[in-house]
Amino acid sequence: MKVAIIQHVIRQDDLNWNMQHVSELMDKQAGADLFVLSETFATGFMAEGSADKAGMQGMMVLNWMQRQASRLNAAIAGSVATKDDDGKLRNRLYFVRPDGFYDHYDKRHLFSFAGETKEYVAGDRRVVVHWRGFSFLLQVCYDLRFPVFSRNRGDYDAIIYVANWPEPRRDVWQTLLKARALENQCYVIGVNRVGSDSACEYQGDSVILNAYGRAIAECMPGKVDTAAAQLDMEELHRFRQKFPVLADSDDFLLASEKKNL
């Protein structure tokens, strides 16, 4: 499977410009099976007035993703601020397929340091999606700091992290992406934006890591860029069989799962 990572700038709350910008970058990786965009790629993180506009904008972005997935005959992953059926604001990662069908994951760990918990509601579902023979765990930005929630239970082959991760903490981003690949014996796809907003600078450091924690595709830091890599299921299975870390891992349930028993 060919996975393309799209490292792009974001004009704050400029929906049309951002979607056109991303569309042009995706065209540079035509033939990919999966395109991964950043967190809140169409508006920017915590965009002004996001609570008021989220319902309408969220649907517009989803419809755009569906059209692009059909045009490219590929899946597209990226997050958007949107409202659920109860009117609650969510940071929602969509995984959209060419036929228009999609799955979504609502960001579980909200970034309280930046005030995300004041407006948004956290998700409570761990979501694994399946596409062209691979299984992907969906995660958003701050989720990267919480390894228990992303622990591999033998149910996925790769983790997708979409982010607006600031430049001062770029070493944390790079270190934890590598850790997630190593401890879970999986591919890790990390896509972060570049440019700036009113609060932060962003260096990107978007990358695809293999199960050895080695970069097999990466974007130039601080630049608008794209990159792609082939994920090899046979190679992944050989490594897991040769070095069976997952078979020796601890069994556990999260507190939220215990409540549903």
Side-chain angles (χ1 to χ4, degrees), residues 82-173:
T82 191
K83 287 186 177 180
D84 61 20
D85 294 337
D86 295 330
K88 296 177 180 178
L89 188 61
R90 305 279 188 172
N91 187 338
R92 179 162 292 173
L93 173 52
Y94 284 113
F95 189 97
V96 182
R97 299 169 179 81
D99 59 8
F101 286 93
Y102 62 89
D103 292 291
H104 75 266
Y105 161 72
D106 292 335
K107 186 176 182 181
R108 173 70 181 89
H109 300 95
L110 300 178
F111 193 39
S112 58
F113 181 78
E116 193 176 17
T117 50
K118 295 178 181 178
E119 291 194 67
Y120 289 78
V121 176
D124 59 5
R125 294 189 308 125
R126 182 178 181 276
V127 178
V128 175
V129 301
H130 309 284
W131 176 239
R132 292 183 178 171
F134 278 79
S135 298
F136 298 89
L137 177 69
L138 304 184
Q139 301 276 273
V140 178
C141 202
Y142 194 43
D143 287 329
L144 180 59
R145 288 183 177 267
F146 302 91
V148 174
F149 188 65
S150 63
R151 184 66 173 157
N152 198 338
R153 305 175 185 181
D155 57 347
Y156 65 77
D157 311 300
I159 309 176
I160 294 174
Y161 287 101
V162 303
N164 278 202
W165 197 283
E167 187 275 337
R169 294 186 288 278
R170 63 186 300 207
D171 184 60
V172 178
W173 165 258

Side-chain angles (χ1 to χ4, degrees), residues 4 16 35 38 40 43 49 51 61 67 80 93 103 133 136 144-145 168 184 190 193-194 200 221 234 241-242 255-256:
N16 292 330
F35 293 86
S38 78
T40 57
T43 60
V61 175
R67 293 193 300 272
V80 60
L93 173 52
D103 292 291
F136 298 89
L144 180 59
R145 288 183 177 267
N184 293 301
R193 64 165 292 182
V194 290
C200 299
E234 292 184 3
Q241 290 170 0
K242 179 181 178 181
S256 58

Side-chain angles (χ1 to χ4, degrees), residues 170-218:
R170 63 186 300 207
D171 184 60
V172 178
W173 165 258
Q174 294 167 327
T175 300
L176 294 183
L177 286 175
K178 187 173 183 178
R180 298 296 89 81
L182 292 170
E183 69 195 11
N184 293 301
Q185 288 193 305
C186 69
Y187 290 101
V188 167
I189 304 157
V191 177
N192 187 31
R193 64 165 292 182
V194 290
S196 62
D197 57 24
S198 60
C200 299
E201 298 282 339
Y202 303 90
Q203 284 294 306
D205 299 309
S206 302
V207 66
I208 302 175
L209 302 170
N210 64 15
Y212 294 90
R214 299 169 186 153
I216 56 175
E218 52 191 331

